[in-house]
Amino acid sequence: MGDDDRASPGPRASPPGGDLAERQRRGAALGVGLVAVFMTLLDVSIVNVAIPSMDRALDVAPSDVQWVLSGYTLTFGLMLVPAGRFGDGHGRRTVFVVGVVLFSLTSVAAGLAPTANWLVAARLLQGAAAGLVTPQVTGLIQELFQSSERGRPFGLLGVTVSISTAVGPLLGGLLIHIGGAEHGWRWVFFVNVPMGMFAAVLGWRLLPHRAQGVPDRRRFDPVGLLLLGAGLLLVLLPLVQQHWQSPERWLTLPAGLLILAAFAGWERWYARRHEPLFDPRLLGIRSYRIGVGIGLFYFGGFTSIFFVLTVFLQNGLGHSALAAGLASTPFTVGFAIASVVGGRIVHRVGRPLVAFGLATVAVSLIVVVLVVNRVPPGATVSWWTATPLLVAGLGSGLVVTPNQALTLAQVPVPHAGNGAGMLEAGQRIGSAAGIASVGSVIFAAQGATGDWSVAFHHAMLLISGIAALALCLALTDIVLDRR
């Protein structure tokens, strides 16, 4: 990063109503950023339909499957806040391009994986690279657009986050159908390469290197990052490593919780002297505190829906990857429609909109279980589940983007970047914990009974219960508001 790089031209924030060329340059920079966000979040769910194909090629164990899924979201979440801070201080363009290039390279490494261990390692590195990219896009919006202009770009970012996760299973099914049942899973990773090349080249040309003003000199919080990562890893280990038969494996759970408690104490102490990894002062804002909790719980269930559905349809019922991906299409359609509507009406309705969406999801998933129990022999399960999954998608669209808007609404502007980073990190960490928990349930139930239908029912009921926990938080916020 030389001085010539720092001085490089790039789009800058301009007053509302600025010249057309400037608005087009800012729009193009935003478009490149959204492509990169789509690519990194697509990999949260696109891998779900590839699991049986991976199993045929690499003989992956259930614990390997869970590390491939939850390991990606865990390293993704851990990198978000420090990467955002690094981009603030050293230039977003460089961090963005480096992150996209690393993401593309690790995608190639994952696609070429000769063993399950290689694949898990590549996914962990891929998640860390994704964590470098995403916060640069959030910071880019804050830099290029004045406060009165940020509603639309943040709305587009929210829709991108929502749709990329939901459309993953369908796109993954198409790629595996084209690439073949045994090695089609490799194309799930290779598809990132052309998107990554496009985003890296245009990102270098269009993104500004450094925000205007004094360079950011904030310190990092390596101790906080280490405590958070170690605590989460110890909590997830007994859920993922099911082949550890000894009861002593559960001792890592209280050890992890103790380390997370130490992390909370460290952050409070560190905040008195420097800016911490996660600023505990923001949790003093009730709407933010509850919104982060809703995001943590809801993403723990939301991203697990596609995992459970595709594993049941492929491993349990013998459907193809394409058929499994198509089965989630009603959810995706409902999600896309409701995300747009929810973003427009959330400021009029408030938290009750999120509560209604959560209740809709929790009930709809129970209906999915009841419907699967009553599917006649020989009937296509995905036709029977289409309607409740559509309704669940509509409910989900009223949760993700509206909750993000409400959570950040009362965060002071100087802390907006940190607040958004903490919120998204909570969502990614929730996804990792949710996939680990739900995966533990579905594989344990299938191993105990030999019946994928029973395993599916247990897992979907757990996801419904996770959504109900998020609903309790939303109802708490509503009650406190009325008081």
Side-chain angles (χ1 to χ4, degrees), residues 248-270:
E248 282 78 12
R249 84 176 198 266
W250 292 103
L251 292 176
T252 65
L253 182 57
L257 294 176
L258 284 174
I259 292 177
L260 291 177
F263 164 75
W266 168 264
E267 294 297 280
R268 283 195 295 270
W269 178 86
Y270 194 80

Side-chain angles (χ1 to χ4, degrees), residues 100-455:
V100 168
V101 170
L102 288 176
F103 186 85
S104 302
L105 291 175
T106 51
S107 296
V108 173
L112 295 174
T115 65
N117 289 336
W118 177 300
L119 179 60
V120 170
R123 282 288 282 176
L124 293 172
L125 294 173
Q126 190 188 31
L132 286 175
V133 174
T134 304
Q136 312 315 321
V137 180
T138 305
L140 181 74
I141 293 174
Q142 293 173 311
E143 177 180 343
L144 297 184
F145 299 88
Q146 296 191 5
S147 57
S148 60
E149 302 175 296
R150 290 175 187 159
R152 183 172 179 273
F154 271 122
L156 290 173
L157 177 61
V159 171
T160 302
V161 170
S162 303
I163 300 304
S164 58
T165 305
V167 79
L170 176 58
L171 179 57
L174 287 170
L175 290 171
I176 293 171
H177 179 73
I178 294 170
E182 184 173 351
H183 294 291
W185 64 272
R186 300 184 186 276
W187 291 99
V188 167
F189 298 109
F190 292 151
V191 73
N192 294 323
V193 177
M195 285 193 288
M197 292 174 60
F198 169 83
V201 171
L202 291 186
W204 185 258
R205 293 185 59 187
L206 296 173
L207 270 61
H209 177 70
R210 187 185 297 282
Q212 292 175 321
V214 180
D216 194 307
R217 301 295 184 189
R218 291 178 293 177
R219 298 187 181 188
F220 289 99
D221 180 11
V223 175
L225 183 62
L226 180 63
L227 288 173
L228 178 61
L232 290 172
L233 181 63
L234 289 174
V235 168
L236 294 179
L237 270 177
L239 299 173
V240 175
Q241 299 295 112
Q242 294 183 51
H243 61 278
W244 293 356
Q245 298 299 322
S246 172
E248 282 78 12
R249 84 176 198 266
W250 292 103
L251 292 176
T252 65
L253 182 57
L257 294 176
L258 284 174
I259 292 177
L260 291 177
F263 164 75
W266 168 264
E267 294 297 280
R268 283 195 295 270
W269 178 86
Y270 194 80
R272 300 191 192 107
R273 295 158 178 80
H274 311 289
E275 184 169 357
L277 184 68
F278 289 98
D279 194 339
R281 293 168 292 190
L282 289 178
L283 298 178
I285 304 171
R286 193 191 76 228
S287 62
Y288 183 80
R289 179 174 65 250
I290 290 180
V292 169
I294 291 172
L296 181 74
F297 281 117
Y298 187 67
F299 270 77
F302 164 58
T303 51
S304 302
I305 294 172
F306 310 106
F307 167 50
V308 171
L309 186 64
T310 55
V311 166
F312 170 61
L313 291 176
Q314 291 187 81
N315 289 358
L317 301 182
H319 290 188
S320 67
L322 179 58
L326 287 170
S328 66
T329 301
F331 187 101
T332 305
V333 172
F335 197 177
I337 295 171
S339 292
V340 175
V341 175
R344 292 178 178 176
I345 66 175
V346 60
H347 292 295
R348 295 200 303 269
V349 181
R351 192 71 75 184
L353 179 66
V354 176
F356 177 76
L358 289 166
T360 301
V361 173
V363 173
S364 298
L365 295 180
I366 294 174
V367 173
V368 169
V369 172
L370 297 175
V371 165
V372 170
N373 280 335
R374 289 164 174 75
V375 173
T380 303
V381 170
S382 55
W383 284 111
W384 284 70
T385 59
T387 299
L389 284 177
L390 173 65
V391 176
L394 290 169
S396 191
L398 299 179
V399 175
V400 179
T401 302
N403 183 64
Q404 181 170 343
L406 293 171
T407 303
L408 299 176
Q410 296 182 25
V411 174
V413 174
H415 298 283
N418 196 10
M422 287 171 61
L423 173 61
E424 188 166 352
Q427 292 172 351
R428 301 281 80 77
I429 290 169
S431 296
I435 291 172
S437 302
V438 173
S440 176
V441 167
I442 192 170
F443 288 126
Q446 197 278 331
T449 65
D451 190 336
W452 279 105
S453 295
V454 172

Side-chain angles (χ1 to χ4, degrees), residues 55-129:
D55 191 25
R56 282 188 286 269
L58 303 180
D59 191 25
V60 293
S63 60
D64 297 325
V65 169
Q66 289 180 265
W67 279 124
V68 166
L69 299 176
S70 61
Y72 175 83
T73 54
L74 178 61
T75 54
F76 192 158
L78 290 175
M79 284 298 297
L80 285 170
V81 175
R85 193 171 299 172
F86 190 82
D88 290 342
H90 296 82
R92 295 188 183 94
R93 185 182 71 173
T94 300
V95 182
F96 176 89
V97 172
V98 168
V100 168
V101 170
L102 288 176
F103 186 85
S104 302
L105 291 175
T106 51
S107 296
V108 173
L112 295 174
T115 65
N117 289 336
W118 177 300
L119 179 60
V120 170
R123 282 288 282 176
L124 293 172
L125 294 173
Q126 190 188 31

